[in-house]
Amino acid sequence: MNIRTDLAMEAHDIARRESKGIIDGITSSTEQHNNVKITRVEILTDEAGMKIGKEKGSYVTLEAPYLRYSLNDYEDAVKLISYELIKMSDVSKDDIVLVAGLGNRAITPDALGCRVIDKLLVTRHMQEFIDAPTGNVCAVAPGVLGTTGIETSDIIKGVTEKLSPSLIIAVDALAAADISRVSTTIQLADTGIQPGAGIGNNRKGLNRDTLGVKVIAIGVPTVIDAATISKVPIPEELAPLTVTTKDIDLVIERMSKTVANGINLALHRELTLNEIEELTA
């Protein structure tokens, strides 16, 4: 079975099970922070990346199974996203950062990126008017090819050429291979992103090679391939069936707020989480 997943930790685990051993060129470690489990996967060579279908680079996954119930887990997740993003990004508050919210706003499981954009503290337009202790942040939600007729990568490339950001943060919904990770997991990667890869609908990649600037991808798995969780064979005509959880509306609202405020906290470092929530309410 061709198991589809956007999570590097899952791809690594699957490849290890199939090869029954350690894969050279990949390191993996885990740590626990209260109720949040952190898994770090480092793909050190292109050859190792090919073995698990991922680009060479760093992948950090936060698993927060109780996030929907616990305010403490929400605050922990926000601060951990911020911490990991700061480590990956290496930008100052004066650098322009472009946040791209990918996906289709009209399809709830694919609306994560758009909803994150709605909750961002964007400040680039204010830089020339006020001397505020905030980052230089702008955002775009380019939509999808089926509704715009334009490749997402082409839209973001045009904005990038106009604004010359030092960093692009691309936010998108992902696919998982383990049902327990759907709606409970957040992945950060310094390799960029290929929209639609998890469900076999590959579009042009968003990365340093295509855009000329570093791209950090942040994603939450919101769907899973039906064939992965089915106890019986899936008829060939139903093979591309993808499913989500029944509470996906609440999941997108909760996870978009968590991811957005993790980004806000990382890019506006002089502000506290409470101050950010007041400014974005």
Side-chain angles (χ1 to χ4, degrees):
M1 182 187 299
N2 181 23
I3 298 177
R4 292 173 178 165
T5 178
D6 288 313
L7 298 178
M9 61 179 294
E10 288 188 336
H12 183 219
D13 289 343
I14 293 167
R16 287 189 63 179
R17 287 198 299 269
E18 291 177 349
S19 63
K20 298 181 180 179
I22 296 173
I23 299 176
D24 292 335
I26 300 178
T27 64
S28 178
S29 63
T30 62
E31 59 188 80
Q32 194 74 31
H33 188 285
N34 295 329
N35 291 326
V36 182
K37 181 181 178 182
I38 305 171
T39 302
R40 305 178 191 279
V41 175
E42 296 280 346
I43 303 176
L44 306 175
T45 66
D46 292 328
E47 181 182 3
M50 290 178 62
K51 291 180 180 178
I52 69 170
K54 303 297 174 188
E55 297 292 326
K56 181 174 70 173
S58 300
Y59 300 80
V60 178
T61 306
L62 312 179
E63 294 178 81
Y66 306 113
L67 182 57
R68 69 186 67 184
Y69 310 116
S70 172
L71 181 61
N72 288 335
D73 289 352
Y74 159 73
E75 293 180 358
D76 284 344
V78 167
K79 291 175 181 177
L80 288 169
I81 292 169
S82 173
Y83 174 75
E84 298 295 340
L85 186 53
I86 289 171
K87 284 206 307 182
M88 282 187 179
S89 62
D90 190 30
V91 294
S92 71
K93 83 176 186 66
D94 295 323
D95 291 330
I96 297 175
V97 177
L98 172 64
V99 184
L102 310 183
N104 189 336
R105 187 181 293 273
I107 300 176
T108 305
D110 195 33
L112 176 77
C114 306
R115 302 288 179 82
V116 166
I117 295 301
D118 294 341
K119 297 173 175 61
L120 278 183
L121 180 57
V122 292
T123 52
R124 177 181 175 272
H125 60 301
M126 300 186 292
Q127 296 298 312
E128 61 182 295
F129 301 111
I130 59 174
D131 183 20
T134 62
N136 195 347
V137 182
C138 52
V140 61
V144 293
L145 179 64
T147 57
T148 66
I150 309 171
E151 283 279 3
T152 298
S153 60
D154 291 337
I155 294 175
I156 296 176
K157 186 173 183 178
V159 175
T160 300
E161 290 174 349
K162 178 67 175 179
L163 300 182
S164 300
S166 299
L167 173 71
I168 296 173
I169 300 172
V171 184
D172 200 7
L174 307 178
D178 186 330
I179 190 65
S180 69
R181 294 194 177 104
V182 173
S183 306
T184 65
T185 307
I186 303 161
Q187 176 178 267
L188 295 88
D190 66 0
T191 59
I193 194 170
Q194 188 163 354
I199 58 171
N201 185 27
N202 293 350
R203 310 310 311 167
K204 291 182 180 178
L206 306 176
N207 51 50
R208 188 184 290 275
D209 290 339
T210 60
L211 299 174
V213 62
K214 183 174 183 176
V215 180
I216 294 176
I218 303 179
V220 175
T222 59
V223 297
I224 189 169
D225 193 331
T228 305
I229 57 176
S230 176
K231 300 296 184 181
V232 296
I234 298 291
E236 186 174 344
E237 64 270 20
L238 296 179
L241 184 64
T242 302
V243 296
T244 190
T245 57
K246 65 180 181 180
D247 62 343
I248 190 60
D249 294 271
L250 294 175
V251 167
I252 292 298
E253 177 60 27
R254 181 183 67 252
M255 283 300 195
S256 62
K257 179 180 179 181
T258 303
V259 171
N261 282 335
I263 296 172
N264 285 332
L265 201 60
L267 301 182
H268 305 291
R269 301 176 197 176
E270 294 83 358
L271 300 177
T272 66
L273 179 56
N274 287 338
E275 290 171 335
I276 286 171
E277 290 187 326
E278 289 177 0
L279 289 169
T280 57

